[in-house]
Amino acid sequence: MSLRLPPTTASRLGLVVAVGTAALLVLASGALGIVGDGGRPDRAYVAVPAVLVLGSLAARLRPRGMVLALGATALTQVVVSASVLLAGVHGDASVVDVVGITAMFAGLFAASAGLYTVAAG
């Protein structure tokens, strides 16, 4: 099944999903805490929206570049979570919870990349 959207609609939806996911990640890591109570280990998640912003600037929000930027963002999400887990600084957060949250955020960034793929043609 392929998604049939006009390129501008797919691009706009991709941007909305990316910005919404990044905002949710910032709120989750800052206010609630992904790996504990929102302490020092959660600061590592700042790298994820930073990669998104820098990648988006480099891509100038063009669809082909945004696919790469969002792929790098999803990969950064996975790498940060894996680093936190491997370092053993995840506090009282269970590994299953961290993996689930990581899958959710990385999946949303990947979905946004998929929308930009549709926009790129």
Side-chain angles (χ1 to χ4, degrees), residues 61-83:
L61 296 177
R62 293 186 181 137
R64 292 188 195 278
M66 287 301 291
V67 171
L68 296 174
L70 286 159
T73 303
L75 181 62
T76 303
Q77 176 73 39
V78 172
V79 168
V80 167
S81 293
S83 300

Side-chain angles (χ1 to χ4, degrees), residues 5-8 10-11 62-67 113-121:
L5 291 172
T8 55
S11 181
R62 293 186 181 137
R64 292 188 195 278
M66 287 301 291
V67 171
L115 287 165
Y116 273 105
T117 301
V118 170

Side-chain angles (χ1 to χ4, degrees), residues 17-27 29 34 41-56 68-84 101-102 104-110:
V17 171
V19 169
T21 303
L24 186 61
L25 176 65
V26 168
L27 287 172
S29 64
I34 294 175
D42 283 315
R43 292 182 194 153
Y45 287 96
V46 170
V48 179
V51 168
L52 177 61
V53 168
L54 293 175
S56 298
L68 296 174
L70 286 159
T73 303
L75 181 62
T76 303
Q77 176 73 39
V78 172
V79 168
V80 167
S81 293
S83 300
V84 166
I101 290 170
T102 299
M104 180 191 70
F105 283 115
L108 286 168
F109 286 125

